[in-house]
Amino acid sequence: MPGEDAESALGAGQRDQALGISSLYTRLGENLTRIEEADEVAEHYLGVIDAIHARRIEGEVSVKLTQLGFDLDVERTYAHVERLCERAAEAGQTLWIDMESSAYVDRTIDFYERLLRAHSNSGLCLQSYLHRTPADLQRLLPLEPSIRLVKGAYAESKSIAFQDRHDVDTAYAALAVTLLDALKAAKHVRIGLGTHDLRLIEQAAAQAEAAGLGRASFEVQMLYGIRTSEQVRLAREGYKVRQLIAYGEAWYPWYLRRLAERPANVLFVLRQLVPW
Ligand SMILES: Cc1cc2nc3c(=O)[nH]c(=O)nc-3n(C[C@H](O)[C@H](O)[C@H](O)COP(=O)(O)OP(=O)(O)OC[C@H]3O[C@@H](n4cnc5c(N)ncnc54)[C@H](O)[C@@H]3O)c2cc1C
């Protein structure tokens, strides 16, 4: 994280734009206890969309539905997200929705389907570790969605999610092919490959080239500060690269998830604290 406030995040995004890397902003924070808190989150994101536009940043916003009151009042969440989509459309941006743990997936897909019918500038994250994702993608493709494909960040049971890294990667590659095939069939589908896995990115690029689509037919989306030199290299080689810049005070649960998926991050953080 470049800092806890939106200003630090926007500043970092603006700087890295000079390297050919665009940005995606998200404020950390999850489930709410009072619905009024969602109103504040929505106002905050409206301000960020405006700031991105005013500062001519190649940026977009990604939100968590739970942060906008999904557990408490779905209709109020929908109204917030609609407002954000409308503001994003005025600014020429897509409004992205994160995918949270499996308990939310059904509801999130329903929510996005409804939203997409009314707002074509909306996008959704799908997770390759879930067995259900190929069916969810088939359901959404006729609506010409924007999809950010990730492996998945939550601890899920083996009855619903692949546990083995190889299986998650194989599923990811197959879903990327499905997305590229849809694009080739002249569907308006926007593809974001949200991964640091260079093997999967190169595989997708080879498939895109073979299909005559070119490597700029999809966007590579990575986290701010992770594999930065590779992000710069990919941008130089003609890939579209976007970095997700997280900010906010609620960084602790988010950090714990990153830690659970990659214990080596403990060392990474310690190295920032200890000057050697
Ligand atoms: C833009 C973006 C948006 C995301 N949105 C969501 C979402 O909405 N819902 C969701 O469930 N998940 C989301 N994720 C997280 C995702 O599901 C994975 O948990 C995460 O990206 C790690 O998987 P990977 O694809 O990079 O592959 P991995 O196989 O985990 O990693 C590939 C290689 O990248 C490097 N690497 C990966 N992560 C790190 C790290 N944290 N620190 C250092 N090196 C690392 C390592 O060298 C590793 O070998 C998002 C990820 C990105 C990049």
Side-chain angles (χ1 to χ4, degrees), residues 98-99 125 127 148 150-154 165 194-197 221-223 226-227 244 258 261-262 265:
D98 287 1
M99 188 58 86
C125 178
Q127 301 154 324
R148 173 171 83 226
V150 302
K151 293 188 187 179
Y154 299 82
R165 189 195 161 97
T195 181
H196 309 92
D197 193 328
Q221 301 183 347
M222 294 192 185
L223 302 180
I226 306 291
R227 299 210 140 167
L244 175 72
R258 301 284 84 74
E261 67 192 5
R262 209 178 134 72
N265 281 352

